[in-house]
Amino acid sequence: MIIVPDPITGFYYMSGHIMREGVYSLSGTNVTLKQAWVSAGGAEDLAMPERSEIIRRIGPNKEVFVRIDYNKIWR
């Protein structure tokens, strides 16, 4: 289980083997991981959803990396 507090406003970044890499806006609406994935167009042919990573910035000098199996999230 991954528990991450929702930010009210800000940005999130999608990169890797997805169709539309880029910066996406958080404008006070809750965005789930599934919604972020769909906004970015889903996976490219070379993607390995079972080896996806979430990187969360915590403070100015620290990041936390979590490897997830994105296929399990969709089930």
Side-chain angles (χ1 to χ4, degrees):
M1 179 185 324
I2 302 170
I3 300 172
V4 180
D6 294 328
I8 297 172
T9 60
F11 302 95
Y12 65 93
Y13 299 82
M14 297 292 287
S15 66
H17 290 289
I18 57 171
M19 300 304 284
R20 291 186 298 273
E21 291 185 321
V23 180
Y24 294 83
S25 178
L26 293 171
S27 57
T29 304
N30 291 334
V31 176
T32 67
L33 186 55
K34 288 181 183 181
Q35 290 168 329
W37 182 268
V38 170
S39 295
E44 289 182 341
D45 291 339
L46 297 176
M48 290 192 271
E50 67 278 3
R51 294 182 60 201
S52 298
E53 292 182 345
I54 297 173
I55 304 169
R56 173 78 183 211
R57 184 174 296 148
I58 299 176
N61 299 316
K62 187 175 180 182
E63 294 179 337
V64 176
F65 292 74
V66 178
R67 180 166 282 174
I68 62 167
D69 182 344
Y70 198 77
N71 293 322
K72 288 182 180 179
I73 290 173
W74 277 98
R75 285 184 248 152

